[in-house]
Amino acid sequence: MPIRKLGFVLAVTGALMFAATPVEIEKKIDALLARMTIEEKLGQMSQASFPSGLPQRARDEIRKGRWGSFLNGGTPQEKAEAQRIATKESRLGIPIIYGQDVIHGYQTVFPIPLGQSASWDPELVRRAARIAAREASSVGIHWTFAPMLDIARDPRWGRIAESLGEDPYLAGVLAAAMVHGFQGESLDAPDSIAACGKHYVGYGAAEGGRDYNTTWIPEALLRDVYLRPFEAARKAGIATYMSAFNDLNGVPASGNAFTLRQILRDEWKFDGFVVSDWNAITEMIPHGYAADIKDAAWKGIGAGVDMEMVSTSYYQNAKALIDSGALDPRLVDQSVRNILRVKFRLGLFDQRIQPENILPAQPAADGLEIARQLAAESLVLLKNQDNALPLAKSVRKVAVIGPLANSQTDQMGTWAMGGNRSAVKTPLAALRETLGEGRVVWAQGLRNSRDDNPAGFQAALETARSADVVLLFLGEEAALSGEASSRAVLDLPGAQEELVSEVLKAGKPTIAILLAGRPLTFHNVAERANAVLYAWHPGVMGGPAICDVLFGDTAPSGRLTTTFPRTVGQLPIYYDHMNTGRPPAESGPEATNKNTSKYLDLSFTPKYPFGFGLSYTTFEYSNVRLSTPTLRLGEKLTIRADIANTGKRDADDVVQLYTRQLAASLTRPVRELKSFRRIHLRAGEKQTIEFVLSTDDLAFYKPGGQLSAEPGSFQLWIAPDSASGQMAEFRVVR
Ligand code: NOJ
């Protein structure tokens, strides 16, 4: 552990400890700024891909202070050498900050963020981020471009895989956990890395779910939903943000002074720095917002994007813009100050120790253990007809079939830059380990998820026939989710459904395990399988985790954090929608009323609601009681409920608290998640759990940024998911 110099707790930035006091840091920055040339300042505001092989030209540029930051690439040795040149041979010795996409683990690849969120386990998510920080920092990475905090309500958007689900509150809680994990207790500890909240803001609302597409988000919705996780990250002390690619209400997010200056700086008092996304500054030209790269630079700096990723409009144009009087040089100074402040906080000026020993070749045991637990907790049991699961370990023979049973790469998911394929334990490998080679028969059926060649079907059917139970590993490969990987059809790609039809001819109990980066519409398969387990892209220990759950060593406890549609035609679909003036009904006399907000050809309800997930046991919720039926603004409400494990085995449950305000100055969602608790209940055990809600938790944003709760009538649910639960009512008065 580092010897911490005089620690300093800064309340407004969320209890981060810095090596020097803020006042000392500002003085050091003053001194540097006074000596910096405009080129050196603009160099600090520039980030490029790491110059592969560190050629002479790059060395010369670093010596001149041309680059304040590099991203993604470079060996630890090259990074150390570039840093040596920057700190020892450049005029002012300003260190480089190295950024990289360490999104769901570095060497130890954890489940994709969407999978992590399904664990509803902030502490485990924090610990995973801590491992990622330890590994990444040991190869000289100072800064990760994570967490991604985009709310997505449309699974066609491939980047939903990188999100923490559709709910702003849950995403905020997990965002804070990740920030604490990456940044540790002290940003300047050698095993801490700076986090970056991205993509600021609105990126997840891409029209039609098409990546990079336009977003239109009214201010109340922007503040109440899309900004919430970013605000939670701010409160957790996040060091940086990344401005997004998207056009937001006619102003690209990377040139948007309203979100970047007014909200981020003036309202939230953020004092770290903002980096643009890749070329997002010059992409304001095709957006139709900047006339040319000079204009783009002017708009980017003007809006408050401190560092430009990859494109070079700032470096090329800002001096001329200042000379002509178009750009206020104080804006450049402010951006440089923000960047240097983070470099100081990270301890980069104090010769932050370069890794002595490079990362070991294989992931460490403690990280693998967390990866296994997190993967297990992220698995969501969606169907379990006649208790088809768990399987008995005494099963004679299992057939493992499908394109995702043994694909290391796909299992790692969308961002696995530092991941080591050979360390990945697939379901096939784990099953062989658990049962012994002889009891596992295997047929891939299709070469990958998109394959539509039936050549392997016959072998798959024979394999199924020879076994007592069939485990089908289906879904989508990693490349079908993540950036620039939107899909218009969410069915299982390739000939997977046909493969299933073929295998079902064997007439064996069949379990479908879905590996995917998003909610898929795999429902034909779900109907025909005896059980369905949703596994996301579960990372390096996905195989053992799936095995743990299949054989009941761990009871499934993951809960969906996105609404699963019946079909793409229902998109966008999300649980915290408004009621409309003509709400549809599922049953009762109103169900046949044509003039309600529904479809003629399909139910309006989702296939699986937000918050949903089965267990190997059953839970009963009862006796919801409130400390008072009426409370005043500013007061607190205590809610208690009894949760009983009414089944035969111990298990975790995720108890969810939702509220609804029935009338307000702006219409309110039919439900909003306000709190949750993951609890462990032994078979037969009953626990009383308690939530405390303050009226501040009921506050919502109005256009203009005012956040306040309003008096009125409320409903509240203690619930196992967003579509059921035990309801109680209360009133808030002035
Ligand atoms: C573009 C992606 O949108 C962003 O999430 C990522 O951090 C950067 N590229 C850097 O790789």
Side-chain angles (χ1 to χ4, degrees):
M1 284 305 284
I3 301 163
R4 294 223 173 86
K5 278 150 270 168
L6 182 66
F8 187 84
V9 180
L10 188 64
V12 278
T13 47
L16 275 180
M17 286 168 66
F18 304 130
T21 67
V23 175
E24 285 165 5
I25 288 179
E26 298 312 306
K27 278 197 188 140
K28 288 181 185 184
I29 297 173
D30 287 339
L32 275 173
L33 275 173
R35 296 178 61 203
M36 288 171 86
T37 64
I38 181 67
E39 286 80 10
E40 284 163 337
K41 290 177 184 174
L42 298 175
Q44 286 305 307
M45 293 169 70
S46 303
Q47 183 189 54
S49 289
F50 192 91
S52 169
L54 202 60
Q56 192 54 48
R57 185 166 154 245
R59 289 166 186 262
D60 295 342
E61 287 178 352
I62 293 166
R63 205 169 283 117
K64 280 193 206 134
R66 168 72 186 85
W67 302 107
S69 178
F70 291 119
L71 83 153
N72 293 0
T75 64
Q77 292 78 1
E78 285 167 354
K79 285 199 201 108
E81 172 60 3
Q83 192 69 300
R84 190 194 60 76
I85 299 171
T87 54
K88 301 276 185 277
E89 296 180 4
S90 78
R91 203 173 67 87
L92 298 171
I94 299 176
I96 295 164
I97 178 169
Y98 294 118
Q100 184 153 321
D101 291 289
V102 180
I103 311 291
H104 48 105
Y106 182 66
Q107 186 193 45
T108 306
V109 179
F110 297 102
I112 53 168
L114 187 58
Q116 292 191 33
S117 71
S119 75
W120 298 63
D121 191 339
E123 174 53 18
L124 206 50
V125 167
R126 184 194 67 79
R127 288 168 64 199
R130 193 87 280 280
I131 297 286
R134 187 181 77 193
E135 292 177 353
S137 61
S138 81
V139 294
I141 294 165
H142 306 133
W143 174 30
T144 174
F145 305 127
M148 188 186 99
L149 303 175
D150 298 311
I151 296 294
R153 295 169 156 184
D154 189 333
R156 288 175 294 182
W157 191 54
R159 303 201 79 169
I160 199 169
E162 301 170 51
S163 83
L164 297 169
E166 74 187 33
D167 180 69
Y169 169 74
L170 177 61
V173 171
L174 297 175
M178 283 192 174
V179 171
H180 292 311
F182 288 132
Q183 299 192 170
E185 277 171 33
S186 162
L187 207 49
D188 70 332
D191 63 353
S192 289
I193 57 178
C196 181
K198 73 184 188 186
H199 306 83
Y200 192 78
V201 57
Y203 183 40
E207 284 184 349
R210 196 152 52 79
D211 204 5
Y212 315 124
N213 206 3
T214 309
T215 63
W216 290 99
I217 310 175
E219 190 185 334
L221 182 67
L222 183 70
R223 288 181 179 273
D224 225 34
V225 172
Y226 291 91
L227 282 165
R228 288 265 191 175
F230 289 92
E231 195 179 8
R234 164 74 191 98
K235 287 181 179 151
I238 198 162
T240 72
Y241 287 95
M242 183 185 294
S243 68
F245 287 129
N246 55 294
D247 178 346
L248 173 65
N249 301 332
V251 181
S254 290
N256 199 311
F258 171 60
T259 54
L260 289 163
R261 286 205 186 275
Q262 183 179 317
I263 295 179
L264 195 58
R265 301 286 180 187
D266 299 349
E267 296 180 19
W268 296 356
K269 311 283 179 237
F270 172 67
D271 68 356
F273 73 85
V274 176
V275 65
S276 77
D277 204 341
W278 189 286
N279 283 345
I281 299 300
T282 51
E283 286 173 12
M284 289 197 282
I285 302 167
H287 268 303
Y289 188 68
D292 50 35
I293 78 160
K294 197 171 190 178
D295 195 25
W298 185 73
K299 288 184 165 137
I301 297 170
V305 177
D306 303 305
M307 184 184 281
E308 181 177 19
M309 185 189 285
V310 178
S311 57
T312 56
S313 73
Y314 287 10
Y315 196 82
Q316 289 180 48
N317 297 286
K319 183 173 184 304
L321 284 165
I322 291 172
D323 291 345
S324 70
L327 181 69
D328 184 342
R330 286 174 303 186
L331 293 182
V332 167
D333 283 4
Q334 188 57 55
S335 283
V336 175
R337 180 179 292 279
N338 295 338
I339 293 164
L340 294 179
R341 189 179 290 129
V342 172
K343 290 188 175 184
F344 274 111
R345 287 176 178 172
L346 274 165
L348 298 182
F349 281 91
D350 306 324
Q351 307 297 320
R352 183 177 162 124
I353 306 137
Q354 283 302 312
E356 301 140 23
N357 48 357
I358 298 314
L359 204 56
Q362 294 298 325
D366 59 342
L368 289 175
E369 187 44 42
I370 293 170
R372 182 175 187 153
Q373 246 190 58
L374 191 47
E377 288 190 7
S378 77
L379 302 178
V380 185
L381 183 66
L382 294 175
K383 176 181 180 181
N384 196 17
Q385 201 173 34
D386 303 325
N387 296 323
L389 288 177
L391 302 172
K393 278 205 184 121
S394 58
V395 59
R396 189 186 55 97
K397 206 171 248 188
V398 302
V400 176
I401 295 173
L404 286 149
N406 197 34
S407 174
Q408 278 109 334
T409 306
D410 293 317
Q411 190 175 318
M412 287 200 286
T414 171
W415 279 114
M417 292 175 88
N420 175 348
R421 241 180 75 98
S422 68
V424 176
K425 288 212 168 185
T426 66
L428 177 65
L431 282 158
R432 283 177 168 158
E433 217 163 89
T434 307
L435 297 177
E437 293 258 346
R439 290 161 66 203
V440 179
V441 281
W442 145 243
Q444 198 168 344
L446 293 162
R447 277 170 302 137
N448 57 52
S449 73
R450 277 177 282 184
D451 186 8
D452 54 12
N453 181 350
F457 284 15
Q458 189 55 33
L461 177 57
E462 277 157 28
T463 303
R465 284 200 169 118
S466 73
D468 304 315
V469 56
V470 177
L471 304 177
L472 280 171
F473 289 88
L474 309 167
E476 59 177 10
E477 55 212 269
L480 293 186
S481 60
E483 188 177 351
S485 301
S486 294
R487 293 182 58 199
V489 176
L490 298 183
D491 296 346
L492 290 173
Q496 294 185 78
E497 290 210 12
E498 291 84 339
L499 171 65
V500 174
S501 300
E502 203 57 26
V503 168
L504 284 170
K505 288 181 187 162
K508 300 294 166 89
T510 301
I511 316 297
I513 299 107
L514 279 298
L515 280 80
R518 56 156 69 76
L520 293 174
T521 49
F522 56 97
H523 312 317
N524 290 335
V525 171
E527 256 150 53
R528 294 182 291 161
N530 300 81
V532 176
L533 190 65
Y534 218 80
W536 319 104
H537 290 134
V540 62
M541 292 300 276
I546 289 171
C547 252
D548 290 342
V549 167
L550 288 179
F551 291 101
D553 296 321
T554 308
S557 59
R559 303 289 184 260
L560 298 179
T561 57
T562 46
T563 302
F564 273 47
R566 293 171 191 274
T567 176
V568 286
Q570 290 183 315
L571 300 178
I573 190 167
Y574 48 96
Y575 87 93
D576 51 343
H577 58 83
M578 301 307 178
N579 199 38
T580 81
R582 294 185 169 190
E586 255 185 294
S587 56
E590 266 300 289
T592 53
N593 180 353
K594 179 161 189 284
N595 296 325
T596 59
S597 178
K598 60 174 186 282
Y599 300 107
L600 292 178
D601 48 358
L602 193 71
S603 167
F604 62 90
T605 62
K607 179 71 186 174
Y608 305 106
F610 174 87
F612 177 76
L614 300 169
S615 175
Y616 291 157
T617 187
T618 44
F619 299 106
E620 226 174 72
Y621 289 40
S622 65
N623 205 8
V624 177
R625 47 219 192 263
L626 310 182
S627 56
T628 171
T630 308
L631 64 157
R632 286 180 192 288
L633 282 175
E635 287 181 349
K636 289 193 164 78
L637 176 68
T638 303
I639 304 129
R640 292 193 185 81
D642 298 334
I643 318 292
N645 179 345
T646 49
K648 292 200 182 64
R649 53 161 303 154
D650 305 354
D652 281 10
D653 189 20
V654 178
V655 183
Q656 300 157 40
L657 168 64
Y658 297 92
T659 62
R660 174 181 182 183
Q661 181 162 15
L662 295 173
S665 66
L666 290 174
T667 56
R668 305 305 305 143
V670 294
R671 277 200 192 195
E672 290 177 277
L673 182 73
K674 293 296 175 188
S675 193
F676 63 89
R677 187 112 11 101
R678 176 180 260 277
I679 56 170
H680 184 77
L681 285 177
R682 291 189 307 278
E685 187 187 348
K686 187 195 264 188
Q687 270 180 29
T688 297
I689 69 158
E690 184 180 297
F691 292 102
V692 178
L693 207 61
S694 96
T695 57
D696 291 347
D697 299 321
L698 305 168
F700 57 95
Y701 280 103
K702 329 282 146 86
Q706 190 212 344
L707 175 69
S708 61
E710 292 180 6
S713 298
F714 289 79
Q715 295 174 326
L716 162 161
W717 293 262
I718 300 290
D721 61 61
S722 62
S724 60
Q726 296 288 311
M727 203 250 277
E729 290 175 309
F730 64 97
R731 284 185 60 76
V732 173
V733 297
R734 274 191 202 288

